[in-house]
Amino acid sequence: MIMEQANFRRLSTDSSEINEAASHLRRGGIVAFPTETVYGLGANAAKQAAVEALFALKQRPSDHPLIIHVSGLADASSWAKLNPLALRVIGALWPGPLSLILPRRPAIPMHALGAQKTVALRCPSHPVARALLSQFSAIGGKGVAAPSANPYGKLSPTDPDHVESDMRRMMYAHASRRLRLSDPKLPDCWMIDGGSSDAGIESTVLDLSTDEPRVLRPGVISREQLEAVLGMPIPLIKPQAIEAKTQKRSNLLLPKASGTLLSHYAPNKPLYVLDQSLLAPKLAELHQQGFRRLALWGVEAQSLDAYEFEISLGLGAVPDSPESMAQLLYRQLRSMDESEAEALIVVLPSPIDMLRDDKGWEAVIDRIERASYATKHGLINPKALAKSDPVGHDMALPADSDMIFEQFEQPLQSPQQTPQQSAPQQMLPAQEAADDLDFDMSFDDLGANP
């Protein structure tokens, strides 16, 4: 038996519909919306039921904090203590594709923060996101918790059709699971169609909660830009592994913000990212393992003439600039993943060569490394993973794993399968819950020495 689903609604960017979406968020609904980086999946960060529904929809671990999207400085200071470095960065780079991790204020709602002593904040520059957040703030909202609008760990969507497809699959999967009474009922899930995202990869995450600023996730805003604003060197910190589930919670090293784990942004099928010198041995290995259908990017089909491969999709050359590559990355990987291919192959120069030529490749390399991490470490079993699985499978990542800027070569897996769809349904009552009152009670220190 499948329980009833929430309703899906696709909105335009008309101001009346954006205002409707803001009211829907305020009441506890879920709204996907465009940003300049990727689409976000938003819920009222001050409403416990809404945040729990968002975690359940994405099948995201509840101790993995979300980034709170705010309309500006006033709402940001409601959540965090804005130190001088934060104010300098905000003045120079907000609104924009930059998320800041800051010490949180006491007694703020913790539903989206994963029990951290910090909060991650972002003020996007996309006009639709700004209109939505401004209206949300005008009707009393303080912030929208918004991870990317994809199933947990999977490819982020940059196109509204991809967002709708992912949301419908997640809603269908949630309705199928609801026989577990612990799962909250979903509120209605809406999406604002704002066209394709410009940047194509997620925001830079800058941690300002410690004595020394550090980047936890490279993004559209480079470390060079941040160093110019702050006048100091800023290191990139490698993501840390979450230890296997057999470990006690007290031993887990939990992330401080979205998208800072080793494996993330991953297709469902095995992804092999290689430099040219490793292509021939990998093709031989794949052929020996029984793979026959491949999707290619950055390699010509003629390179495979020695083998009996069928090319399900060939995407030609990869862009030669990091900005163009970032814009295309998730869209191309998604097209490859949705093809009939059994494995995906991307051929690039080595990361060292790419970074030597242009440090702007840092963020793109980061996303490619995370997308291929599960394949590289044997965490994808294509025979067990149906392509239709909208949420993937939990992955226990080895605690001593090291990832960023290793050579691109990866070990091998084998083939995979197909999708399912969704049906309409019922809505959460639109009630103004007491969660917002709880939030308002913590504003007594607002503006006093942040």
Side-chain angles (χ1 to χ4, degrees), residues 107-128:
I108 61 170
M110 294 293 293
H111 323 306
L113 306 190
Q116 295 279 351
K117 294 179 180 178
T118 55
V119 59
L121 297 174
R122 168 150 134 75
C123 179
S125 61
H126 192 287
V128 173

Side-chain angles (χ1 to χ4, degrees), residues 272 274 279 283 286 294-297 299 336 343-347:
Y272 302 96
L274 314 162
L279 178 59
L283 291 174
L286 288 167
L294 302 179
L296 307 176
W297 191 17
V299 56
M336 296 169 78
L344 321 178
I345 291 183
V346 178
V347 174

Side-chain angles (χ1 to χ4, degrees), residues 151-293:
Y152 176 65
K154 298 302 180 184
L155 293 169
S156 298
T158 59
D159 178 273
D161 290 337
H162 296 160
V163 177
E164 178 172 350
S165 175
D166 280 354
M167 287 182 74
R168 288 187 180 279
R169 287 175 181 165
M170 288 188 285
M171 290 162 68
Y172 183 89
H174 183 275
S176 301
R177 289 194 309 270
R178 274 212 71 224
L179 291 176
R180 286 191 339 216
L181 297 180
S182 60
D183 281 339
K185 183 184 171 198
L186 285 182
D188 284 351
C189 297
W190 297 3
M191 180 195 76
I192 302 173
D193 180 349
S196 297
S197 301
D198 292 331
I201 59 173
E202 299 77 8
S203 63
T204 305
V205 175
L206 175 64
D207 186 358
L208 293 177
S209 66
T210 63
D211 292 340
E212 295 182 355
R214 58 220 182 121
V215 168
L216 301 188
R217 179 178 72 186
V220 181
I221 291 178
S222 68
R223 282 196 288 150
E224 286 72 23
Q225 287 174 276
L226 294 171
E227 288 170 348
V229 171
L230 293 179
M232 63 180 75
I234 300 176
L236 171 64
I237 303 301
K238 293 182 181 183
Q240 300 295 311
I242 296 293
E243 297 181 8
K245 289 184 175 179
T246 51
Q247 306 262 347
K248 292 182 180 176
R249 179 187 163 86
S250 59
N251 292 331
L252 294 179
L253 184 57
L254 298 174
K256 293 180 90 171
S258 295
T260 54
L261 294 180
L262 284 163
S263 180
H264 215 70
Y265 319 119
N268 290 306
K269 294 176 180 176
L271 170 63
Y272 302 96
V273 186
L274 314 162
D275 67 33
Q276 192 65 43
S277 68
L278 296 169
L279 178 59
K282 178 57 66 179
L283 291 174
E285 187 182 353
L286 288 167
H287 193 270
Q288 183 180 9
Q289 292 292 322
F291 287 79
R292 292 297 179 266
R293 295 192 302 278

Side-chain angles (χ1 to χ4, degrees), residues 4-39:
E4 76 279 11
Q5 279 180 256
N7 290 308
F8 177 84
R9 182 180 171 193
R10 187 164 177 156
L11 305 176
S12 73
T13 56
D14 182 85
S15 60
S16 64
E17 296 204 337
I18 290 176
N19 291 348
E20 268 193 86
S23 296
H24 185 57
L25 282 170
R26 183 86 167 93
R27 292 191 300 265
I30 289 175
V31 177
F33 59 95
T35 77
E36 67 277 19
T37 57
V38 301
Y39 270 74

